[in-house]
Amino acid sequence: MKWKWPEAAQRWKGALRRYQYVLLVIAVGAVLLLLPTGGRDSPQPEEPAREEGASFDLEAFEKKLAQTLSQIEGAGETRVVLTLDGGSRQVLARNQDREGDGGSSNTVVTVGKGSGQQEVVPLQTVAPQFRGALVVCPGGGSAQVRLKLIEAVSALTGLGSDRISVCQGG
């Protein structure tokens, strides 16, 4: 015995077959609407919390690094001192105008904040480069622990092993 579709299902099946291309175009359009756009041409306003979080806090970084290094087997409680090459800096938006005689002028872009206040437009904040690191811990005398600590500090700071010193402390 062959199973037969109910009458309502037969009508739906016929309608779907008849309008399959129209439904396909609608489905593709819905998917395209849900995809994110590039958005490179239109600048989006930055949130104030982002600007404040962009500054680099050396003491907080040292503390977090020391806590992380303390988790390495055999290291014990660690203390970390980092030195920096300069401080963090901001790259500002600039407007470059070309003049008719071949010269050009370069000015910093500012935005009016109301009541006569002007503010520069930062493009990005560049974190400072590390100069060196000192790690002091009870397990610093062991060659294995020293190697693990140097690898970890190098991975987190970008320093070479020649700029990281690990000492045994009490």
Side-chain angles (χ1 to χ4, degrees):
M1 176 169 172
K2 195 173 185 184
W3 188 73
K4 226 177 163 191
W5 285 89
E7 184 66 32
Q10 288 283 348
R11 277 189 267 147
W12 275 101
K13 187 176 174 185
L16 288 176
R17 185 171 291 140
R18 188 176 310 135
Y19 297 110
Q20 68 184 356
Y21 295 113
V22 173
L23 293 173
L24 179 66
V25 168
I26 291 172
V28 168
V31 168
L32 288 175
L33 284 174
L34 294 175
L35 290 176
T37 60
R40 291 183 187 172
D41 296 336
S42 60
Q44 297 178 352
E46 291 194 20
E47 301 167 5
R50 256 180 124 178
E51 289 180 21
E52 293 170 6
S55 64
F56 181 74
D57 186 8
L58 180 62
E59 289 181 29
F61 186 76
E62 286 176 343
K63 186 181 286 186
K64 188 174 182 180
L65 183 59
Q67 289 173 349
T68 305
L69 295 177
S70 294
Q71 302 298 315
I72 292 177
E73 185 179 341
E77 187 175 339
T78 62
R79 287 177 297 213
V80 177
V81 177
L82 295 170
T83 56
L84 302 175
D85 273 339
S88 62
R89 62 182 174 88
Q90 288 187 337
V91 177
L92 303 177
R94 295 189 171 274
N95 188 11
Q96 188 172 15
D97 294 326
R98 300 214 183 260
E99 297 173 1
D101 59 354
S104 65
S105 64
N106 198 352
T107 58
V108 175
V109 176
T110 58
V111 176
K113 297 292 258 178
S115 67
Q117 295 178 343
Q118 294 284 324
E119 189 174 292
V120 295
V121 178
L123 291 178
Q124 75 183 73
T125 301
V126 179
Q129 296 291 320
F130 294 103
R131 179 180 290 167
L134 170 65
V135 179
V136 180
C137 65
S142 167
Q144 284 182 322
V145 173
R146 184 177 291 196
L147 179 62
K148 289 178 187 177
L149 290 170
I150 289 174
E151 287 176 345
V153 172
S154 178
L156 294 173
T157 62
L159 289 169
S161 60
D162 61 326
R163 295 186 177 258
I164 302 169
S165 179
V166 177
C167 299
Q168 184 173 5

